[in-house]
Amino acid sequence: MRSRIIAAAALGAVMALPATPALAATPRTFGTSVDGTCDTATGEWVVDWAITNQSDTSALLIVVESTPPASRLGSLPAPPAGGTTHAVQRIPGDSAGARLDYIAVWTDYPGGSYRSIADFAAPGLCEQAPPSA
């Protein structure tokens, strides 16, 4: 009798499993780091956004916001699974900084998305070097 109860309980547990897609083997996240250098030839900040796909699947990237508006990024290169790509933005030398806000969407994972917001704070004024004589 006891083995019948255990077998029935095990069968019930198997039958109660949801019929949803399997979750990804690794968490689906993105990492964004930023670095800026002053280009003294132009007097602009060169902002390098390093975008790392920390999941095992590629994703589409959608820009939500990129500032300052005059030098916004219209699109982002999508890094492969586990890879990093760079987007370079040039902003005015007197800018306080820049912001990148994007969403990663996985097409093989219904409803799967990840939002990333990163900021670059200009450490000061970036000025054009005077022409050499």
Side-chain angles (χ1 to χ4, degrees):
M1 175 79 167
R2 182 171 191 186
S3 62
R4 286 186 197 155
I5 293 172
I6 292 172
L11 180 60
V14 170
M15 294 175 72
L17 292 175
T20 58
L23 294 176
T26 58
R28 296 194 177 196
T29 61
F30 268 71
T32 307
S33 60
V34 61
D35 187 35
T37 56
C38 177
D39 181 349
T40 56
T42 63
E44 296 175 308
W45 285 104
V46 180
V47 182
D48 178 20
W49 303 97
I51 301 165
T52 302
N53 183 347
Q54 298 170 335
S55 71
D56 59 0
T57 307
S58 61
L60 302 171
L61 300 182
I62 301 165
V63 176
V64 174
E65 177 186 21
S66 172
T67 63
S71 56
R72 87 183 257 1
L73 293 170
S75 63
L76 297 173
T84 299
T85 58
H86 295 264
V88 176
Q89 180 181 20
R90 298 182 77 87
I91 63 173
D94 60 353
S95 229
R99 169 172 275 200
L100 178 60
D101 178 357
Y102 68 90
I103 297 174
V105 179
W106 289 270
T107 57
D108 68 333
Y109 188 56
S113 65
Y114 181 84
R115 186 166 187 175
S116 178
I117 301 172
D119 293 297
F120 165 70
L125 184 63
C126 173
E127 295 183 281
Q128 188 172 7
S132 55

